Amino acid sequence: MTSTAFAPAKINLALHVTGQREDGYHLLDSLVMFADVGDTVTVRAASEMSLCVTGPRAEGVPTDARNLCWRAAETFGCPVAITLDKHLPAMAGIGGGSSDAAATLRAMAELHHRPFPRQALDRLGADVPVCTVAHAARMSGIGDVVQPLVLPPQHAVLVNPGVDVPTPQVFKALTQKRNPEMTALPEAGGADAFLDWLHKQRNDLQPPAIALQPVIATVLDTLRATPGSRLARMSGSGATCFALYDDRAAAETAARALRGTWPQWWITACTLH
Ligand code: C5P
């Protein structure tokens, strides 16, 4: 008896920090979409908990209760053997660990024929609720308020330059914590109206992340210079950045060219839903 779930990369197309609660957590207003690249989680009923990490990004990923997959599975109260096939860079602003946790909850729900316990979401981190939706959504509160959206698919290139930017440090380096919310999404006008709107939104964590790791600015400049790039921005607290293109072919061409010039960066073309 096994069950498998895909853990797509989470991309914050916009991420506004709108305030800070007394407990230190920040209030967010974010537009999130999910890529067709990601990790895969498989769970199998077993007599005790175990976690095996495979795949090109397995190195350094914890195989015990430090891993969010393990903690997500434990909320069901039934031991499982978990296999995590890791393709996404960790701690990279694209929700790797959170999406793995959400996929584990989906796989466990299927294996045990029951929905995941809602209180599971309280303990697994701010990005997990939106990752359980796994398609376009507006995320607010501290990440706990999720409103699913219908948006046109977006074609993107993701680039991670391989530097660590710990999320708490980025939030700490943020000078202005009360910023305006996102404006209302356009209801008409198609892809161009959406992009015009997106240009007027921000990632408030981008300037502090660049201050901590200036290479992020180089990644953004490099993405902006690729043919057909419509918008380039950082996702989450970084360091992964994305650029949007009119079609998948343009994204694939840009990704190929970038890989030639920057062989040490993690670069992938993808489609966001
Ligand atoms: O919830 P998660 O473990 O993903 O968050 C990592 C860190 O990011 C938190 O410890 C906190 O410093 C910061 N954070 C925040 N406000 C949020 C989400 C995360 O300050 N809404």
Side-chain angles (χ1 to χ4, degrees), residues 13-35:
L13 276 77
L15 175 54
H16 295 203
V17 179
T18 59
Q20 187 172 28
R21 297 197 318 197
E22 299 226 317
D23 64 2
Y25 267 81
H26 294 79
L27 297 171
L28 309 173
D29 188 20
S30 179
L31 182 74
V32 181
M33 292 183 85
F34 288 85

Side-chain angles (χ1 to χ4, degrees), residues 20 24-28 98 124-127 141-143 167-169 171:
Q20 187 172 28
Y25 267 81
H26 294 79
L27 297 171
L28 309 173
S98 305
L124 293 171
D127 269 345
I142 59 162
T167 304
Q169 275 187 33
F171 275 109

